[in-house]
Amino acid sequence: MNCLENKKKIYYFNSLENLSAYHFSKTLTELLLKYMNRNTKIVFLCIGSDRATGDCLGPIIGYKLSKMNYHNCKVYGTLESPVHANNLAQTIATIQDEHKDSLIVAIDASLGTSNHVGYITLGEGSLKPGAGVKKTLPEVGDIHITGIVNLSGILDNMLLQTTRLNVVMKLADCISLGIKFSMLGL
């Protein structure tokens, strides 16, 4: 889970709206073009665990993105090989070592207010994984994407266990489709 600590503009998209994947994709493409040149590799870092419904957004998106075969992309964090609290720092070190000048798009689930559950956030700068459940993990990303999977409040760890899979899947479908549209447009 994450908490955004970013002073730059954050865009919100309702995953239930018909054209949300299109609008998300258009904004993501603009951000990608702002930070990359023709030779820039894009690394999608999909953070989360497959052991809690509320935290599996990242690995599900990573699984979906790993099926793409774009020459300038690399995906870390899938259902088969998730990136979570125990291996995040090592994965970031690997990315910095193997993809030195890459553009990192960090993707994670987050908690929010009741009127934002099911929304996607997109913005410039890093996200801080684990902050929503009081974990101290390294910030990561040039661009961040989150899906608000449940309410924030008391017993946030319990909320991760009781999050509806339907909410997570709708967010994952919308984000994955938007990323695919963006990659086709680059």
Side-chain angles (χ1 to χ4, degrees):
M1 307 312 312
N2 68 46
C3 174
L4 302 176
E5 294 184 357
N6 188 335
K7 303 277 190 244
K8 297 181 181 183
K9 184 167 175 90
I10 297 174
Y11 302 90
Y12 287 83
F13 305 91
N14 185 344
S15 66
L16 299 178
E17 291 179 0
N18 286 338
L19 296 175
S20 58
Y22 167 76
H23 294 296
F24 168 74
S25 172
K26 185 177 175 201
T27 306
L28 177 60
T29 301
E30 290 170 7
L31 289 177
L32 290 171
L33 290 172
K34 180 177 178 178
Y35 286 98
M36 62 185 289
N37 62 44
R38 232 173 237 279
N39 298 321
T40 304
K41 183 172 212 134
I42 301 170
V43 173
F44 292 100
L45 177 56
C46 304
I47 303 164
S49 170
D50 61 341
R51 295 179 182 246
T53 308
D55 201 28
C56 68
L57 179 68
I60 291 171
I61 293 170
Y63 167 80
K64 290 173 175 270
L65 296 180
S66 68
K67 305 299 181 197
M68 295 188 319
N69 289 318
Y70 296 109
H71 70 281
N72 62 338
C73 292
K74 177 70 176 163
V75 177
Y76 288 88
T78 63
L79 288 170
E80 184 178 352
S81 183
V83 174
H84 45 68
N86 294 334
N87 64 2
L88 178 62
Q90 178 58 44
T91 303
I92 292 170
T94 299
I95 291 169
Q96 291 171 344
D97 185 47
E98 294 181 12
H99 312 287
K100 289 188 187 336
D101 295 320
S102 63
L103 176 66
I104 300 173
V105 179
I107 303 170
D108 197 4
S110 67
L111 300 174
T113 61
S114 61
N115 58 333
H116 279 129
V117 173
Y119 274 69
I120 298 162
T121 68
L122 170 63
E124 298 176 69
S126 61
L127 60 80
K128 189 171 182 182
V133 291
K134 315 295 187 276
K135 289 186 179 180
T136 303
L137 298 170
E139 294 184 31
V140 64
D142 300 300
I143 296 172
H144 63 265
I145 300 169
T146 68
I148 302 171
V149 299
N150 211 333
L151 303 173
S152 178
I154 300 171
L155 301 173
D156 289 336
N157 282 323
M158 182 62 81
L159 289 172
L160 295 178
Q161 303 298 327
T162 60
T163 297
R164 296 201 56 221
L165 184 58
N166 184 52
V167 172
V168 174
M169 290 306 293
K170 285 184 179 181
L171 284 162
D173 288 343
C174 188
I175 293 169
S176 304
L177 185 60
I179 290 172
K180 288 178 185 179
F181 287 158
S182 289
M183 297 312 297
L184 291 173
L186 294 179

